[in-house]
Amino acid sequence: MKKVLKWAGIILGLLLLCLGATVLYLNHAAKSRLDKKYEVQPKTIAIPGDPASIAAGKQWADVLCRGCHGENLAGKKFFDVPEIGLICAPNITPGGAAKNYTDPDWDRALRHGVGLDGRPLLIMPSENFKYMSDEHIGQLIAYLKTVAPVEQTWEPRRTTLFANLLFQLGAFDGDLNVEKIDHTSPSHSAPERAVTAEYGKYIVRINGCRVCHGEQLNGGKLHEPDAPLGPNLTPGGSLAQWDAPGFVKAMHTGITPFGKELSAYMPWKEIDHYDDDQLQAVYAYLKSLPTLETAEIK
């Protein structure tokens, strides 16, 4: 009996040792990915200074930036859970982190997801912004350089051991956006601004609609435990019952043509800043998609 207990103790000890080694390895691997320095050569972009371009840049910022960085773009706490960690969207006004940004630094951050220190920018949707044209990125940068400076600082990001383990195991969508981007690929061009499916496709791509609605836009789920299923946006879903005016009104008001409120996860308050022509282009693109059945989300 003593021999059995002895071997049971040895086996248990070895299992605990293996578990501890695995935890240490996963934690180290996660930290290595989060702290990796990227050498990215951004593209030289012409930054316009005319009022029309700056106004266009403001619209891009209204739609793409203020949801995370706040109405005054001075940043805010994006994620603050003691068991997981703290991630703050930085102050991107000239009074914050942006005061040290050159034009290439802006491009590196926006389209490559890399900060001034060469480390990955967490949450930054550069995988989507990568598809923005040089013209539109230039407009956005031009506007950001004109916003009123705000003196606001935030704590640096921190993640717990538990968060690092979850991250390395894929609980937070696995890869960082910076890891998904081909940093050597040429920049993309934008189609002509018009009420066309082609222009609507461009808006859908840079807005990251596939994060919630799936790669084929026939349903998906955000990688958050409480997030609802993103509905099927192809003609195989409820969109088939919407007309263009109803879609545009829903994106402006957050109310569907049937009187139902859109999910709190749907960023309609940001999308509201698109004008009617842009929203009609998005509708035209969604209606042009193949009719797909709603994906089964496990």
Side-chain angles (χ1 to χ4, degrees), residues 54-288:
I54 292 174
K58 180 182 183 301
Q59 187 193 44
W60 292 122
D62 290 342
V63 177
L64 302 173
C65 304
R66 285 189 161 88
C68 291
H69 293 278
E71 280 301 311
N72 62 357
L73 298 175
K76 63 182 181 181
K77 286 187 178 181
F78 190 90
F79 187 85
D80 186 10
V81 179
E83 297 80 9
I84 303 295
L86 170 70
I87 298 176
C88 295
N91 178 355
I92 58 172
T93 75
K99 65 185 176 185
N100 298 317
Y101 270 50
T102 64
D103 295 343
D105 292 330
W106 275 116
D107 185 54
R108 188 184 293 107
L110 290 166
R111 292 200 289 194
H112 296 275
V114 178
L116 278 177
D117 60 1
R119 297 197 303 163
L121 296 174
L122 302 186
I123 312 299
M124 182 71 174
S126 298
E127 184 189 18
N128 306 317
F129 296 170
K130 180 69 176 177
Y131 290 90
M132 289 186 75
S133 68
D134 290 351
E135 177 189 9
H136 293 158
I137 282 289
Q139 291 170 348
L140 176 56
I141 295 172
Y143 169 70
L144 291 174
K145 293 167 71 171
T146 70
V147 300
V150 179
E151 300 297 328
Q152 172 69 59
T153 59
W154 299 95
E155 297 176 63
R157 75 188 187 203
R158 62 176 183 270
T159 55
T160 64
L161 170 64
F162 180 56
N164 291 340
L165 296 181
L166 292 177
F167 170 72
Q168 193 61 21
L169 291 172
F172 300 127
D173 198 18
D175 297 330
L176 296 167
N177 275 325
V178 70
E179 295 176 340
K180 302 176 184 178
I181 297 170
D182 179 358
H183 299 284
T184 62
S185 65
S187 57
H188 296 264
S189 59
E192 179 183 357
R193 193 186 194 281
V195 181
T196 61
E198 184 182 14
Y199 185 65
K201 179 181 180 180
Y202 175 77
I203 293 177
V204 166
R205 170 60 72 180
I206 65 177
N207 264 84
C209 301
R210 288 175 172 79
V211 173
C212 293
H213 296 281
E215 192 57 37
Q216 295 181 290
L217 296 174
N218 64 328
K221 190 176 187 303
L222 188 67
H223 286 262
E224 291 186 21
D226 298 329
L229 298 180
N232 182 354
L233 299 184
T234 78
S238 61
L239 188 73
Q241 304 170 41
W242 297 25
D243 58 13
F247 177 82
V248 171
K249 185 177 180 179
M251 295 302 102
H252 284 318
T253 65
I255 305 296
T256 74
F258 307 103
K260 183 180 178 181
E261 289 188 10
L262 294 175
S263 166
Y265 283 83
M266 175 65 185
W268 68 267
K269 292 182 179 179
E270 287 77 46
I271 294 174
D272 172 41
H273 291 286
Y274 283 128
D275 61 39
D276 288 1
D277 285 350
Q278 289 170 309
L279 292 175
Q280 288 184 46
V282 171
Y283 178 81
Y285 169 62
L286 296 178
K287 290 291 286 186
S288 74

